[in-house]
């Protein structure tokens, strides 16, 4: 039993390290791409943010996933080990195949599969969770679409968010201390933009810690072999380790991929995704930061494209050529990527993957549970 517990802790740490790698890339990738912070600095801020989020709001999600889904206060340690193994294998396969997955959904799917094969499932709790899984992306899309359609330009003008991809302000960590390097030609707008970008990144890190701690250690807590506080420490430690190690590649990738997205858009979608995820975590609902962020990006692009369809018709047009030219000219400037952000095939692929991954984890957990327990 002691050996199984040690193996379970190491497996939980493995899941946490992978969570830290992927979450840090999502949160700090834009800041890395803008040269607003170094990778070491991003690891430090991500660790601090995730620890705060996991230790405060994150314990609500751990309780839901570890104690409320399966129809028994405590299940066996071997059952918890099966759940962790299914989570780890599913995430590993998804990462190898390059398929975006929701760690929260995978964790819940594995818990449900184990519960069906063992002690049963609290279907009322599962329905409540699933209902929010539908509402959250719809809400993110709707808010982002409304902002893109009516308020995007006002936000950019009011906030003074600069659009260049290379920031003249960089936060570095030297000898364990933060140092802010400011170029001679940096304006107050540049400094404001950098500070805002880093604050939003830390907010996303906080949200990731709050929602993802449960995915690594909830099965251990549900087994009754590890206390809630000790489990959270294991999770945040693993997430921090992932932020300093494997996150380097994901931060570089996300930073490069998002350079075409305006800084204003990156701040808007990050704020929407992190706020929805943090709110659900407070309610104890395991939520996907990535899903809310992706649907916010799609919604913002769709909203901007709709704004671009506004037309200013001359009254009256002098010639037919003027009429045609006016009909082809939008009354508002639209970012070149606005239309391409909303693609039906991409939406279908995202939704399909987000449904398949938890079903795969749940099916595997059910099969293993029935065969071994």
């Amino acid at each position: 039993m002691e050996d199984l517990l040690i193996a379970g802790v190491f497996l939980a740490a493995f899941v946490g390290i992978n969570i830290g790698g992927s979450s840090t890339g999502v949160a700090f990738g834009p800041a890395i791409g803008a040269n607003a912070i170094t990778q070491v600095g991003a690891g430090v801020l991500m660790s601090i943010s995730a620890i705060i989020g996991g230790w405060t709001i994150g314990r609500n999600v751990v309780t839901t996933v570890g104690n409320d889904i399966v129809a028994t206060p405590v299940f066996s340690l071997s059952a918890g080990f099966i759940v962790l193994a299914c989570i780890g294998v599913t995430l590993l396969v998804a990462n190898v195949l390059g398929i975006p997955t929701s760690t929260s959904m995978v964790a819940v799917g594995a818990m449900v599969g184990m519960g069906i094969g063992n002690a049963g499932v609290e279907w009322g709790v599962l329905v409540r969770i699933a209902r929010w899984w539908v509402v959250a992306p719809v809400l993110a899309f709707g808010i982002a679409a409304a902002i893109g359609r009516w308020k995007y330009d006002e936000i950019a003008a009011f906030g003074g968010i600069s659009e260049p991809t290379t920031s003249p302000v960089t936060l570095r960590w030297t000898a364990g201390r933060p140092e802010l390097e400011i170029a001679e030609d940096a304006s107050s707008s540049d400094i404001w933009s950098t500070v805002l970008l880093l604050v939003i990144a830390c907010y996303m890190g906080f949200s990731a810690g709050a929602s993802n701690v449960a995915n690594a250690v909830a099965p251990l807590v549900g087994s009754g072999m590890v206390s809630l506080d000790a489990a959270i420490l294991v999770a945040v430690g693993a997430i921090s380790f992932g932020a300093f190690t494997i996150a380097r590649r994901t931060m570089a990738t996300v930073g490069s991929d998002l350079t075409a997205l305006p800084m204003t858009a990156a701040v808007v979608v990050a704020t929407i995704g992190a706020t929805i995820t943090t709110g659900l975590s407070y309610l104890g609902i395991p939520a996907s930061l990535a899903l809310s962020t992706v649907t916010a990006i799609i919604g913002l692009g769709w909203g901007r494209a709709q704004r671009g369809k506004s037309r200013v018709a001359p009254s009256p047009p002098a010639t037919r050529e003027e009429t045609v030219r006016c009909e082809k000219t939008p009354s508002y400037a639209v970012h070149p990527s606005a239309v391409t952000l909303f693609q039906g095939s991409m939406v279908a692929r995202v939704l399909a993957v987000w449904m398949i991954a938890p079903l795969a984890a749940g099916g595997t957990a059910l099969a293993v549970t029935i065969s071994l327990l």
Side-chain angles (χ1 to χ4, degrees):
M1 184 65 69
E2 183 177 342
D3 292 340
L4 187 59
L5 176 60
I6 294 175
V9 171
F10 273 101
L11 189 55
F14 171 75
V15 174
I17 290 172
N18 281 277
I19 291 173
S22 59
S23 299
T24 305
V26 173
F28 284 88
I32 291 291
N35 196 35
I37 193 172
T38 62
Q39 291 185 337
V40 173
V44 172
L45 293 185
M46 178 65 189
S47 299
I48 296 173
S49 303
I51 289 172
I52 297 174
W55 189 260
T56 55
I57 298 177
R59 61 184 61 241
N60 298 340
V61 187
V62 175
T63 300
T64 298
V65 178
N67 300 118
D68 297 344
I69 294 178
V70 179
T72 179
V74 177
F75 48 82
S76 66
L77 180 59
S78 56
F81 184 85
I82 290 173
V83 171
L84 282 171
C86 290
I87 295 173
V89 170
T90 302
L91 293 179
L92 179 61
V93 172
N95 289 332
V96 171
L97 297 178
I99 301 175
T101 53
S102 167
T103 310
S104 297
M105 293 183 178
V106 169
V108 171
M111 288 292 293
V112 170
M114 184 273 292
I116 293 175
N118 188 11
V121 175
E122 292 288 353
W123 295 107
V125 175
L126 184 61
V127 169
R128 177 169 172 259
I129 293 173
R131 183 169 61 241
W132 278 111
W133 282 355
V134 175
V135 172
V138 172
L139 185 62
F141 179 91
I143 294 174
I147 292 175
R149 177 66 177 84
W150 290 292
K151 294 295 182 180
Y152 182 86
D153 292 333
E154 295 179 22
I155 292 175
F158 175 79
I161 304 174
S162 58
E163 298 298 338
T165 57
T166 301
S167 172
V169 182
T170 304
L171 180 62
R172 299 182 180 277
W173 248 259
T174 304
R177 295 183 301 175
E179 293 184 0
L180 193 63
E181 295 183 359
I182 303 177
E184 294 182 359
D185 58 346
S187 64
S188 58
S189 176
D190 294 327
I191 298 175
W192 159 249
S193 299
T194 302
V195 171
L196 180 60
L197 185 62
L198 293 178
V199 168
I200 293 298
C202 290
Y203 183 33
M204 291 189 73
F206 172 89
S207 178
S211 62
N212 284 324
V213 161
N215 304 327
V217 295
L220 292 180
V221 175
S223 70
M225 299 299 294
V226 179
S227 67
L228 178 60
D229 290 346
I232 291 176
L233 290 177
V234 171
V236 296
I239 291 174
S240 297
F241 185 80
F244 279 101
T245 54
I246 63 176
R248 293 176 178 270
R249 178 173 296 179
T250 58
M251 283 190 290
T253 300
V254 174
S256 300
D257 291 344
L258 292 183
T259 53
L261 193 66
M263 196 69 72
T264 303
V267 169
V268 168
V269 300
T271 302
I272 294 172
T275 300
I276 291 175
T277 304
T278 301
L280 293 180
S281 298
Y282 177 79
L283 297 175
I285 303 296
S288 171
L289 175 62
L291 180 57
S292 295
T293 303
V294 167
T295 49
I297 292 174
I298 296 171
L300 186 66
W302 184 84
R304 294 294 288 165
Q306 298 305 305
R307 186 181 182 97
K309 292 180 180 179
S310 301
R311 301 290 188 265
V312 179
S315 180
T319 64
R320 182 176 181 278
E321 286 75 13
E322 290 179 353
T323 302
V324 173
R325 184 171 63 252
C326 186
E327 289 178 348
K328 292 183 177 180
T329 304
S331 59
Y332 300 98
V334 181
H335 190 267
S337 64
V339 178
T340 59
L341 285 176
F342 179 72
Q343 300 178 11
S345 60
M346 181 175 67
V347 176
R349 178 174 179 268
V350 169
L351 293 177
V353 169
W354 255 271
M355 289 187 295
I356 292 172
L359 290 175
T364 304
L366 173 59
V368 175
T369 300
I370 292 176
S371 62
L372 296 181
L373 298 182

